[in-house]
Short mmCIF file of all heavy atoms in Angstrom, two decimals:
data_model
loop_
_atom_site.label_atom_id
_atom_site.label_comp_id
_atom_site.label_asym_id
_atom_site.label_seq_id
_atom_site.Cartn_x
_atom_site.Cartn_y
_atom_site.Cartn_z
N TYR A 1 0.83 -1.20 0.00
CA TYR A 1 0.00 0.00 0.00
C TYR A 1 0.87 1.25 0.00
O TYR A 1 1.82 1.34 0.78
CB TYR A 1 -0.89 0.03 1.26
CG TYR A 1 -1.96 -1.01 1.26
CD1 TYR A 1 -1.74 -2.27 1.81
CD2 TYR A 1 -3.22 -0.75 0.70
CE1 TYR A 1 -2.73 -3.24 1.81
CE2 TYR A 1 -4.21 -1.72 0.70
CZ TYR A 1 -3.96 -2.96 1.25
OH TYR A 1 -4.95 -3.92 1.25
N LEU A 2 0.53 2.20 -0.86
CA LEU A 2 1.14 3.52 -0.79
C LEU A 2 0.56 4.24 0.41
O LEU A 2 -0.65 4.12 0.67
CB LEU A 2 0.84 4.31 -2.06
CG LEU A 2 1.52 3.81 -3.34
CD1 LEU A 2 0.88 4.45 -4.56
CD2 LEU A 2 3.01 4.09 -3.29
N ALA A 3 1.37 4.96 1.16
CA ALA A 3 0.88 5.66 2.34
C ALA A 3 1.71 6.91 2.60
O ALA A 3 2.88 6.98 2.22
CB ALA A 3 0.93 4.73 3.56
N GLU A 4 1.07 7.87 3.25
CA GLU A 4 1.76 9.05 3.74
C GLU A 4 1.78 8.98 5.26
O GLU A 4 0.94 8.31 5.87
CB GLU A 4 1.04 10.32 3.26
CG GLU A 4 1.07 10.49 1.75
CD GLU A 4 0.25 11.68 1.27
OE1 GLU A 4 -0.05 12.59 2.09
OE2 GLU A 4 -0.08 11.69 0.08
N VAL A 5 2.75 9.68 5.86
CA VAL A 5 2.91 9.63 7.31
C VAL A 5 3.05 11.03 7.87
O VAL A 5 3.40 11.98 7.17
CB VAL A 5 4.15 8.78 7.70
CG1 VAL A 5 3.95 7.32 7.36
CG2 VAL A 5 5.42 9.32 7.07
N LEU A 6 2.79 11.14 9.18
CA LEU A 6 3.02 12.39 9.89
C LEU A 6 4.53 12.61 10.05
O LEU A 6 5.31 11.66 9.93
CB LEU A 6 2.35 12.34 11.27
CG LEU A 6 0.83 12.15 11.29
CD1 LEU A 6 0.33 11.99 12.72
CD2 LEU A 6 0.13 13.31 10.60
N ASP A 7 4.93 13.83 10.36
CA ASP A 7 6.36 14.13 10.53
C ASP A 7 6.92 13.55 11.83
O ASP A 7 8.08 13.16 11.89
CB ASP A 7 6.59 15.64 10.50
CG ASP A 7 6.39 16.22 9.10
OD1 ASP A 7 6.58 15.48 8.11
OD2 ASP A 7 6.03 17.40 9.00
N GLU A 8 6.08 13.51 12.88
CA GLU A 8 6.55 13.01 14.19
C GLU A 8 6.87 11.52 14.11
O GLU A 8 6.14 10.74 13.51
CB GLU A 8 5.45 13.23 15.24
CG GLU A 8 5.83 12.71 16.61
CD GLU A 8 4.67 12.71 17.60
OE1 GLU A 8 3.58 13.21 17.27
OE2 GLU A 8 4.86 12.19 18.71
N VAL A 9 8.00 11.13 14.72
CA VAL A 9 8.40 9.73 14.76
C VAL A 9 8.36 9.27 16.22
O VAL A 9 9.02 9.84 17.08
CB VAL A 9 9.82 9.54 14.18
CG1 VAL A 9 10.22 8.07 14.22
CG2 VAL A 9 9.90 10.08 12.76
N LYS A 10 7.57 8.24 16.47
CA LYS A 10 7.47 7.66 17.82
C LYS A 10 8.54 6.58 18.01
O LYS A 10 9.27 6.24 17.08
CB LYS A 10 6.08 7.04 18.01
CG LYS A 10 4.94 8.05 18.03
CD LYS A 10 3.64 7.34 18.36
CE LYS A 10 2.52 8.33 18.61
NZ LYS A 10 1.29 7.65 19.03
N GLU A 11 8.58 6.02 19.21
CA GLU A 11 9.53 4.95 19.51
C GLU A 11 9.07 3.65 18.85
O GLU A 11 7.88 3.35 18.80
CB GLU A 11 9.60 4.75 21.03
CG GLU A 11 10.68 3.80 21.46
CD GLU A 11 10.80 3.69 22.98
OE1 GLU A 11 10.45 4.66 23.67
OE2 GLU A 11 11.24 2.63 23.45
N GLN A 12 10.03 2.89 18.33
CA GLN A 12 9.72 1.59 17.73
C GLN A 12 9.26 0.62 18.82
O GLN A 12 9.65 0.74 19.97
CB GLN A 12 10.96 1.00 17.06
CG GLN A 12 11.45 1.73 15.85
CD GLN A 12 12.82 1.19 15.44
OE1 GLN A 12 13.79 1.37 16.17
NE2 GLN A 12 12.87 0.55 14.29
N LYS A 13 8.47 -0.37 18.41
CA LYS A 13 8.05 -1.47 19.29
C LYS A 13 8.42 -2.77 18.58
O LYS A 13 7.58 -3.41 17.96
CB LYS A 13 6.55 -1.40 19.56
CG LYS A 13 6.12 -0.14 20.28
CD LYS A 13 4.62 -0.05 20.38
CE LYS A 13 4.23 1.32 20.90
NZ LYS A 13 2.97 1.79 20.36
N LEU A 14 9.68 -3.14 18.66
CA LEU A 14 10.19 -4.27 17.90
C LEU A 14 10.08 -5.59 18.64
O LEU A 14 10.24 -5.65 19.86
CB LEU A 14 11.67 -4.02 17.55
CG LEU A 14 11.98 -2.77 16.72
CD1 LEU A 14 13.48 -2.61 16.58
CD2 LEU A 14 11.30 -2.85 15.36
N ASP A 15 9.83 -6.67 17.86
CA ASP A 15 9.90 -8.02 18.39
C ASP A 15 11.37 -8.33 18.67
O ASP A 15 12.28 -7.65 18.17
CB ASP A 15 9.36 -9.03 17.36
CG ASP A 15 7.86 -8.89 17.13
OD1 ASP A 15 7.14 -8.44 18.04
OD2 ASP A 15 7.40 -9.24 16.02
N LYS A 16 11.61 -9.41 19.43
CA LYS A 16 12.98 -9.75 19.82
C LYS A 16 13.88 -9.97 18.60
O LYS A 16 14.99 -9.46 18.54
CB LYS A 16 12.98 -11.00 20.71
CG LYS A 16 14.34 -11.32 21.27
CD LYS A 16 14.34 -12.48 22.22
CE LYS A 16 15.77 -12.64 22.73
NZ LYS A 16 16.02 -13.88 23.37
N TYR A 17 13.39 -10.73 17.60
CA TYR A 17 14.23 -10.98 16.42
C TYR A 17 14.51 -9.70 15.64
O TYR A 17 15.59 -9.55 15.06
CB TYR A 17 13.62 -12.07 15.52
CG TYR A 17 12.54 -11.58 14.57
CD1 TYR A 17 12.85 -11.17 13.28
CD2 TYR A 17 11.21 -11.52 14.97
CE1 TYR A 17 11.87 -10.71 12.41
CE2 TYR A 17 10.23 -11.07 14.11
CZ TYR A 17 10.56 -10.67 12.84
OH TYR A 17 9.60 -10.22 11.98
N GLU A 18 13.56 -8.77 15.65
CA GLU A 18 13.76 -7.48 14.97
C GLU A 18 14.82 -6.65 15.70
O GLU A 18 15.63 -5.98 15.06
CB GLU A 18 12.44 -6.72 14.88
CG GLU A 18 11.41 -7.40 13.99
CD GLU A 18 10.02 -6.81 14.11
OE1 GLU A 18 9.67 -6.27 15.20
OE2 GLU A 18 9.25 -6.90 13.13
N GLN A 19 14.81 -6.72 17.04
CA GLN A 19 15.83 -6.04 17.83
C GLN A 19 17.20 -6.63 17.54
O GLN A 19 18.19 -5.91 17.38
CB GLN A 19 15.52 -6.15 19.32
CG GLN A 19 14.30 -5.37 19.75
CD GLN A 19 13.91 -5.66 21.21
OE1 GLN A 19 14.67 -6.28 21.96
NE2 GLN A 19 12.73 -5.22 21.59
N GLU A 20 17.26 -7.97 17.46
CA GLU A 20 18.54 -8.66 17.21
C GLU A 20 19.10 -8.30 15.83
O GLU A 20 20.31 -8.22 15.65
CB GLU A 20 18.36 -10.17 17.33
CG GLU A 20 18.14 -10.61 18.77
CD GLU A 20 17.69 -12.06 18.90
OE1 GLU A 20 17.50 -12.75 17.88
OE2 GLU A 20 17.53 -12.51 20.06
N LEU A 21 18.21 -8.07 14.85
CA LEU A 21 18.65 -7.68 13.51
C LEU A 21 18.95 -6.18 13.43
O LEU A 21 19.45 -5.70 12.41
CB LEU A 21 17.59 -8.06 12.47
CG LEU A 21 17.50 -9.55 12.16
CD1 LEU A 21 16.25 -9.86 11.36
CD2 LEU A 21 18.75 -10.02 11.42
N GLY A 22 18.65 -5.45 14.50
CA GLY A 22 18.95 -4.02 14.53
C GLY A 22 18.09 -3.21 13.59
O GLY A 22 18.59 -2.31 12.90
N TYR A 23 16.80 -3.49 13.56
CA TYR A 23 15.89 -2.76 12.67
C TYR A 23 15.89 -1.27 13.02
O TYR A 23 15.75 -0.90 14.18
CB TYR A 23 14.46 -3.29 12.80
CG TYR A 23 14.15 -4.52 11.97
CD1 TYR A 23 15.15 -5.28 11.37
CD2 TYR A 23 12.85 -4.93 11.80
CE1 TYR A 23 14.85 -6.39 10.62
CE2 TYR A 23 12.53 -6.05 11.05
CZ TYR A 23 13.53 -6.77 10.47
OH TYR A 23 13.22 -7.89 9.72
N GLU A 24 16.07 -0.46 11.98
CA GLU A 24 16.01 0.99 12.16
C GLU A 24 15.31 1.61 10.96
O GLU A 24 15.39 1.09 9.84
CB GLU A 24 17.42 1.57 12.31
CG GLU A 24 18.28 1.42 11.07
CD GLU A 24 19.67 2.02 11.22
OE1 GLU A 24 19.92 2.76 12.18
OE2 GLU A 24 20.52 1.74 10.34
N LEU A 25 14.65 2.74 11.20
CA LEU A 25 14.03 3.51 10.13
C LEU A 25 15.10 4.29 9.40
O LEU A 25 15.92 4.95 10.04
CB LEU A 25 12.98 4.48 10.71
CG LEU A 25 12.50 5.60 9.78
CD1 LEU A 25 11.72 5.03 8.60
CD2 LEU A 25 11.66 6.61 10.55
N VAL A 26 15.09 4.20 8.07
CA VAL A 26 15.96 5.04 7.25
C VAL A 26 15.15 5.60 6.09
O VAL A 26 14.23 4.95 5.60
CB VAL A 26 17.20 4.28 6.71
CG1 VAL A 26 18.14 3.87 7.83
CG2 VAL A 26 16.80 3.07 5.88
N TRP A 27 15.49 6.82 5.70
CA TRP A 27 14.95 7.40 4.48
C TRP A 27 16.05 7.23 3.46
O TRP A 27 17.09 7.89 3.54
CB TRP A 27 14.58 8.87 4.68
CG TRP A 27 13.35 9.02 5.52
CD1 TRP A 27 13.29 9.18 6.87
CD2 TRP A 27 12.00 9.00 5.06
NE1 TRP A 27 11.99 9.28 7.29
CE2 TRP A 27 11.16 9.17 6.20
CE3 TRP A 27 11.39 8.87 3.81
CZ2 TRP A 27 9.77 9.21 6.11
CZ3 TRP A 27 10.01 8.91 3.72
CH2 TRP A 27 9.21 9.07 4.86
N GLU A 28 15.85 6.31 2.53
CA GLU A 28 16.92 5.91 1.62
C GLU A 28 16.56 6.24 0.17
O GLU A 28 15.39 6.29 -0.20
CB GLU A 28 17.17 4.40 1.76
CG GLU A 28 18.38 3.88 1.03
CD GLU A 28 19.65 4.58 1.45
OE1 GLU A 28 20.24 4.17 2.47
OE2 GLU A 28 20.05 5.55 0.78
N ASP A 29 17.59 6.41 -0.63
CA ASP A 29 17.42 6.55 -2.06
C ASP A 29 16.92 5.20 -2.60
O ASP A 29 17.49 4.15 -2.27
CB ASP A 29 18.76 6.92 -2.70
CG ASP A 29 18.69 6.99 -4.20
OD1 ASP A 29 18.16 8.00 -4.72
OD2 ASP A 29 19.14 6.03 -4.85
N LEU A 30 15.87 5.22 -3.41
CA LEU A 30 15.26 4.00 -3.94
C LEU A 30 16.29 3.13 -4.65
O LEU A 30 16.35 1.91 -4.41
CB LEU A 30 14.16 4.39 -4.94
CG LEU A 30 12.80 3.82 -4.69
CD1 LEU A 30 11.98 4.73 -3.81
CD2 LEU A 30 12.08 3.60 -5.99
N LYS A 31 17.08 3.74 -5.52
CA LYS A 31 18.05 2.97 -6.31
C LYS A 31 19.10 2.33 -5.41
O LYS A 31 19.49 1.18 -5.63
CB LYS A 31 18.70 3.86 -7.36
CG LYS A 31 19.52 3.09 -8.35
CD LYS A 31 19.97 3.95 -9.51
CE LYS A 31 20.69 3.05 -10.49
NZ LYS A 31 21.55 3.71 -11.38
N LYS A 32 19.56 3.06 -4.40
CA LYS A 32 20.57 2.51 -3.48
C LYS A 32 20.01 1.31 -2.72
O LYS A 32 20.67 0.27 -2.61
CB LYS A 32 21.06 3.58 -2.50
CG LYS A 32 22.11 3.07 -1.54
CD LYS A 32 22.59 4.13 -0.59
CE LYS A 32 23.58 3.54 0.42
NZ LYS A 32 23.97 4.51 1.43
N ALA A 33 18.79 1.44 -2.21
CA ALA A 33 18.16 0.32 -1.48
C ALA A 33 18.02 -0.89 -2.40
O ALA A 33 18.30 -2.03 -2.00
CB ALA A 33 16.80 0.75 -0.93
N TYR A 34 17.62 -0.65 -3.65
CA TYR A 34 17.46 -1.73 -4.63
C TYR A 34 18.80 -2.42 -4.88
O TYR A 34 18.90 -3.66 -4.84
CB TYR A 34 16.88 -1.18 -5.93
CG TYR A 34 16.96 -2.13 -7.09
CD1 TYR A 34 16.12 -3.25 -7.16
CD2 TYR A 34 17.90 -1.95 -8.10
CE1 TYR A 34 16.22 -4.14 -8.21
CE2 TYR A 34 18.00 -2.84 -9.15
CZ TYR A 34 17.15 -3.93 -9.21
OH TYR A 34 17.25 -4.82 -10.25
N GLU A 35 19.84 -1.64 -5.14
CA GLU A 35 21.14 -2.21 -5.47
C GLU A 35 21.72 -3.02 -4.31
O GLU A 35 22.26 -4.11 -4.51
CB GLU A 35 22.12 -1.10 -5.89
CG GLU A 35 21.78 -0.52 -7.25
CD GLU A 35 22.57 0.74 -7.60
OE1 GLU A 35 23.29 1.29 -6.71
OE2 GLU A 35 22.47 1.17 -8.77
N ILE A 36 21.60 -2.51 -3.10
CA ILE A 36 22.11 -3.24 -1.93
C ILE A 36 21.34 -4.54 -1.73
O ILE A 36 21.93 -5.60 -1.51
CB ILE A 36 22.07 -2.35 -0.66
CG1 ILE A 36 23.15 -1.27 -0.79
CG2 ILE A 36 22.26 -3.18 0.61
CD1 ILE A 36 23.09 -0.20 0.28
N ASN A 37 20.01 -4.48 -1.84
CA ASN A 37 19.22 -5.70 -1.68
C ASN A 37 19.52 -6.73 -2.77
O ASN A 37 19.56 -7.93 -2.50
CB ASN A 37 17.72 -5.38 -1.67
CG ASN A 37 17.19 -5.14 -0.27
OD1 ASN A 37 17.95 -4.93 0.67
ND2 ASN A 37 15.89 -5.18 -0.13
N MET A 38 19.72 -6.27 -4.01
CA MET A 38 20.04 -7.21 -5.09
C MET A 38 21.35 -7.94 -4.80
O MET A 38 21.46 -9.15 -4.99
CB MET A 38 20.12 -6.48 -6.43
CG MET A 38 18.77 -6.09 -6.99
SD MET A 38 17.66 -7.49 -7.28
CE MET A 38 18.48 -8.29 -8.65
N GLU A 39 22.33 -7.19 -4.31
CA GLU A 39 23.62 -7.80 -3.97
C GLU A 39 23.46 -8.80 -2.83
O GLU A 39 23.96 -9.92 -2.90
CB GLU A 39 24.60 -6.70 -3.58
CG GLU A 39 26.00 -7.18 -3.29
CD GLU A 39 26.93 -6.05 -2.92
OE1 GLU A 39 26.88 -4.99 -3.58
OE2 GLU A 39 27.70 -6.23 -1.95
N LEU A 40 22.73 -8.42 -1.79
CA LEU A 40 22.53 -9.30 -0.63
C LEU A 40 21.63 -10.49 -0.99
O LEU A 40 21.83 -11.59 -0.48
CB LEU A 40 21.94 -8.53 0.54
CG LEU A 40 22.85 -7.50 1.19
CD1 LEU A 40 22.10 -6.69 2.22
CD2 LEU A 40 24.06 -8.18 1.81
N GLY A 41 20.64 -10.27 -1.85
CA GLY A 41 19.74 -11.35 -2.27
C GLY A 41 20.49 -12.47 -2.97
O GLY A 41 20.18 -13.65 -2.79
N GLN A 42 21.51 -12.12 -3.76
CA GLN A 42 22.32 -13.14 -4.44
C GLN A 42 23.24 -13.83 -3.44
O GLN A 42 23.49 -15.03 -3.54
CB GLN A 42 23.12 -12.50 -5.56
CG GLN A 42 22.24 -12.02 -6.70
CD GLN A 42 23.00 -11.17 -7.71
OE1 GLN A 42 24.19 -10.94 -7.58
NE2 GLN A 42 22.28 -10.72 -8.72
N LYS A 43 23.73 -13.08 -2.48
CA LYS A 43 24.64 -13.64 -1.48
C LYS A 43 23.93 -14.61 -0.54
O LYS A 43 24.41 -15.71 -0.29
CB LYS A 43 25.27 -12.49 -0.67
CG LYS A 43 26.22 -12.91 0.42
CD LYS A 43 26.77 -11.70 1.14
CE LYS A 43 27.59 -12.09 2.35
NZ LYS A 43 28.03 -10.92 3.11
N TYR A 44 22.75 -14.19 -0.03
CA TYR A 44 22.04 -14.99 0.96
C TYR A 44 20.96 -15.88 0.37
O TYR A 44 20.48 -16.79 1.02
CB TYR A 44 21.38 -14.09 2.01
CG TYR A 44 22.36 -13.35 2.90
CD1 TYR A 44 22.37 -11.97 2.95
CD2 TYR A 44 23.27 -14.04 3.68
CE1 TYR A 44 23.26 -11.28 3.77
CE2 TYR A 44 24.18 -13.37 4.50
CZ TYR A 44 24.16 -11.99 4.54
OH TYR A 44 25.02 -11.32 5.33
N GLU A 45 20.53 -15.61 -0.89
CA GLU A 45 19.42 -16.33 -1.51
C GLU A 45 18.22 -16.35 -0.58
O GLU A 45 17.56 -17.38 -0.40
CB GLU A 45 19.84 -17.75 -1.90
CG GLU A 45 20.92 -17.77 -2.96
CD GLU A 45 21.35 -19.17 -3.36
OE1 GLU A 45 20.67 -20.14 -2.95
OE2 GLU A 45 22.35 -19.29 -4.06
#
């Protein structure tokens, strides 16, 4: 779903595995996120 959000950012409520993976919010360039995931997708399958 496409969505818009408010400017205020609240505290995350992460599950244990999400905490262990170090989940964080980032505002990323679309192309950069795509390229990094493509590289990791081939590495980890």
Side-chain angles (χ1 to χ4, degrees):
Y1 291 91
L2 291 166
E4 295 175 19
V5 293
L6 299 175
D7 289 333
E8 179 190 354
V9 181
K10 293 185 171 185
E11 188 176 333
Q12 293 170 293
K13 297 173 190 148
L14 300 175
D15 292 333
K16 186 176 182 195
Y17 82 92
E18 294 168 332
Q19 291 172 11
E20 290 169 357
L21 286 168
Y23 277 13
E24 65 179 347
L25 165 66
V26 293
W27 288 92
E28 189 57 84
D29 176 77
L30 235 90
K31 190 170 185 201
K32 180 179 176 185
Y34 167 73
E35 289 170 350
I36 289 171
N37 269 15
M38 285 300 291
E39 184 180 316
L40 291 173
Q42 292 170 0
K43 179 180 173 185
Y44 292 121
E45 296 180 10

